[in-house]
């Protein structure tokens, strides 16, 4: 038996189920690979953070980059979420899901002129600028539209998030934001500039952060800056502490939403300003599983066993990109003792590996396996490498499942080519 399966995905007599709905029954209709999401887990993920911060005025701007499948964005909107968008595309998805521009914060290290023009024109709640130069471009664009852009500056506090280097963003070697020393000057120099209205301060030091220390220090640095700006006569409307709260991929307990709030609120309270939160992974991570089929098995003379799936780094790139760990659960585990397996994908790359030496019951061709905790940074990072087609996506809610994104076809892909 697999070591740990999260609450929404549980083993029963009919195999692995998502909130009571059999994964086999979904696969019978939509085939594999397929992402299956639990609406209940998404709501729970959102509410855990919302409840944890109840003691301080706050707004959750769910980070769309974690998962922006329209039905999921609509679901989050329906329970009151606002959004953090990282591109014109994500802004379009948020609007399509019924979000008003004022409920969008627009972050991103390389916003194009066209994206900024549109964000200013529709009047997003805040543009989190990444540099003094970007603020100047925003001011010029806004003035030319006869508008005032609501802006914050992303600050880079040089704090080690203690996460994987590829997803740490708050060190001075990272491309994100401006140093704290520069931030105050940048605000001061642009105070009163036509076209700009400073509404906040922003920080995001990384993702999959599993201890509160770095999150607390970042909040402290940001609160200190907000107070300095107040001394300079710059009145803000919020303190945006970004996202980054990690989830327990390996089953070991890590920092909870309550721990996070307990560390951040005391730091920010002294500013008297509401919080903006941008969680992504903590809202949707546990809510998704990628269900795939075993297409081949083999055993080398030294005993190494491989199970090759019909999903690989094209559907889920996290293990190949960050060496990240995901629980793997056979949908119908065979009742024999586990043995170490290498679970790999079909892509022509040696990094196309989901797990090495993972203790699993015997696997045979056509068996189904679920790769768990793939609701965040799963489908959004999928690609057509090796001309694989983007998988179908299904949402389970209240005992029913719905296809929320059909499987891509080769005609969809070729339609773009001239
Ligand atoms: N806000 C900003 C400005 C961000 O850049 C991010 C994530 C978030 C919020 C949400 O962070 P979260 O709460 O999800 O940690 N692909 C990587 C993660 C990249 C995160 C990028 N930024 C992964 O699969 O682990």
């Amino acid at each position: 038996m697999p070591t740990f399966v999260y609450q929404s995905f549980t083993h029963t007599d009919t195999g692995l189920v998502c909130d009571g709905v059999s994964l086999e029954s979904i696969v019978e209709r939509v085939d594999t690979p397929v992402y299956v999401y639990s609406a209940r887990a998404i709501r729970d993920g959102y509410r855990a953070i919302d409840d944890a911060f109840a003691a301080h005025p706050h707004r959750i701007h769910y980070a769309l980059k974690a998962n922006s499948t329209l039905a999921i964005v609509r679901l989050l909107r329906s329970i009151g979420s606002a959004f953090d968008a990282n591109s014109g595309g994500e802004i379009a998805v948020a609007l399509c899901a019924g979000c008003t521009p004022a409920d969008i914060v627009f972050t991103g290290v390389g916003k194009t002129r066209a994206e900024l023009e549109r964000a200013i024109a529709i009047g997003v709640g805040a543009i989190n600028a990444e540099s003094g130069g970007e603020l100047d471009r925003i001011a010029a664009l806004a003035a030319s539209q006869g508008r005032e852009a609501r802006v914050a500056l992303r600050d880079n506090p040089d704090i080690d998030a203690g996460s994987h280097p590829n997803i740490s963003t708050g060190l001075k070697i990272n491309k994100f934001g401006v140093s704290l020393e520069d931030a105050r000057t940048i605000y001061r120099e642009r105070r009163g500039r036509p076209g700009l209205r400073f509404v906040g301060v922003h920080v995001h030091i990384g993702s999959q952060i599993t201890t509160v220390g770095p999150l607390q220090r970042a909040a402290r640095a940001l609160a200190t800056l907000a107070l300095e700006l107040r001394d300079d006569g710059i009145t803000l409307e919020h303190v945006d502490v970004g996202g980054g709260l990690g989830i327990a991929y390996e089953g070991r307990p890590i920092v909870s939403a309550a721990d996070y709030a307990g560390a951040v609120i005391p730091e920010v309270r002294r500013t008297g300003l509401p919080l903006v939160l941008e969680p992504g992974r903590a809202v949707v991570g546990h809510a998704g599983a990628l269900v795939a089929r075993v297409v081949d098995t083999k055993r080398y003379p030294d005993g190494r066993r491989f199970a090759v799936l019909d999903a690989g780094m094209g559907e889920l790139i996290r293990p190949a990109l960050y060496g990240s760990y995901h629980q793997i659960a056979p949908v119908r585990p065979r009742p024999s003792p586990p043995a170490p397996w290498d679970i790999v994908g079909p892509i022509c790359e040696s990094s196309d590996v989901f797990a090495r030496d993972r203790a699993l019951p015997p696997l045979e061709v056509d068996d189904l396996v679920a790769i768990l905790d793939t609701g965040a940074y799963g489908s959004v990072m999928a690609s057509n490498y090796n001309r694989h087609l983007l998988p179908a996506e299904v949402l389970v809610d209240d005992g029913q499942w719905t296809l929320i994104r059909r499987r891509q076809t080769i005609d969809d892909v070729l339609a773009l080519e001239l």
Side-chain angles (χ1 to χ4, degrees):
M1 275 295 286
T3 46
F4 191 87
V5 177
Y6 285 101
Q7 220 184 342
S8 289
F9 293 89
T10 45
H11 273 109
T12 66
D13 294 348
T14 55
L16 195 62
V17 299
C18 172
D19 296 338
V21 174
S22 135
L23 295 183
E24 278 176 359
S25 71
I26 294 173
V27 167
E28 266 168 33
R29 299 279 299 282
V30 300
D31 209 351
T32 53
V34 55
Y35 275 100
V36 177
Y37 305 110
S38 153
R40 186 182 65 107
I42 295 171
R43 290 190 198 99
D44 284 355
Y46 178 89
R47 289 195 180 121
I49 299 171
D50 203 27
D51 291 350
F53 280 89
H56 191 89
H58 67 275
R59 189 84 202 269
I60 296 181
H61 285 252
Y62 164 71
L64 290 162
K65 62 173 74 68
N67 189 322
S68 60
T69 302
L70 194 52
I72 289 178
V73 182
R74 284 206 181 104
L75 170 68
L76 284 162
R77 183 67 186 161
S78 75
I79 55 173
S81 188
F83 298 100
D84 165 41
N86 196 63
S87 67
E90 287 186 352
I91 291 177
V93 171
L95 296 176
C96 190
C99 182
T100 50
D103 285 344
I104 297 172
V105 295
F106 181 23
T107 317
V109 80
K111 306 178 199 77
T112 64
R113 186 175 305 271
E115 286 176 321
L116 287 172
E117 264 168 1
R118 171 123 174 93
I120 295 163
I122 64 174
V124 297
I127 303 176
N128 288 329
E130 293 269 346
S131 68
E134 186 174 63
L135 279 173
D136 296 340
R137 288 190 292 280
I138 294 170
L141 290 170
S144 74
Q145 292 182 17
R147 292 193 165 84
E148 198 170 56
R150 295 167 53 82
V151 291
L153 184 62
R154 177 168 180 173
D155 305 296
N156 182 330
D158 196 23
I159 291 170
D160 185 357
S163 187
H164 190 280
N166 290 10
I167 52 174
S168 293
T169 51
L171 285 172
K172 63 180 174 203
I173 54 161
N174 299 130
K175 64 185 174 180
F176 301 95
V178 305
S179 72
L180 281 173
E181 304 89 74
D182 291 343
R184 192 170 178 185
T185 317
I186 291 173
Y187 274 94
R188 273 183 179 163
E189 285 176 357
R190 289 161 184 80
R191 175 179 33 191
R193 175 85 56 94
L196 289 187
R197 167 131 148 246
F198 283 115
V199 295
V201 280
H202 178 239
V203 76
H204 172 79
I205 59 166
S207 195
Q208 184 53 17
I209 302 173
T210 54
T211 55
V212 288
L215 294 161
Q216 181 165 27
R217 287 197 295 281
R220 184 180 307 150
L222 202 61
T224 302
L225 175 65
L227 290 173
E228 287 169 359
L229 295 175
R230 189 163 72 193
D231 292 343
D232 294 342
I234 300 170
T235 330
L236 303 176
E237 297 175 21
H238 67 247
V239 171
D240 181 345
V241 292
L245 182 62
I247 63 170
Y249 284 105
E250 299 185 40
R252 281 194 305 274
I254 56 156
V255 56
S256 68
D259 299 334
Y260 176 42
V264 166
I265 291 173
E267 300 296 341
V268 172
R269 187 171 279 138
R270 60 203 170 100
T271 66
L273 293 171
L275 269 166
V276 167
L277 305 161
E278 300 173 0
R281 187 188 318 264
V283 176
V284 291
H286 286 317
L290 173 61
V291 185
R293 193 184 297 275
V294 177
V295 292
D296 195 13
T297 60
K298 57 182 165 181
R299 190 155 182 195
Y300 284 174
D302 68 356
R304 187 168 286 278
R305 284 183 201 78
F306 290 89
V308 186
L309 307 184
D310 63 359
M313 64 196 287
E315 286 75 17
L316 175 68
I317 202 174
R318 301 195 70 256
L321 203 52
Y322 319 113
S324 58
Y325 182 96
H326 287 269
Q327 297 277 340
I328 298 178
V331 168
R332 254 183 215 276
R334 291 170 200 281
S336 307
W341 283 87
D342 284 10
I343 308 295
V344 302
I347 301 295
C348 207
E349 298 267 347
S350 295
S351 59
D352 185 27
V353 173
F354 287 128
R356 284 210 188 275
D357 294 325
R358 186 68 63 88
L360 288 170
L363 291 169
E364 291 180 17
V365 168
D366 282 338
D367 283 1
L368 298 175
V369 298
I371 305 171
L372 300 178
D373 304 317
T374 48
Y377 307 109
S379 76
V380 279
M381 295 179 80
S383 80
N384 287 126
Y385 188 35
N386 283 198
R387 294 286 189 175
H388 277 251
L389 302 169
L390 299 182
E393 296 180 44
V394 158
L395 183 65
V396 173
D397 197 6
D398 203 15
Q400 307 288 324
W401 64 268
T402 322
L403 184 67
I404 57 170
R405 179 171 167 154
R406 70 164 169 81
R407 185 177 309 287
Q408 196 178 35
T409 66
I410 192 67
D411 290 342
D412 292 334
V413 177
L414 288 173
L416 301 176
E417 297 184 30
L418 308 172

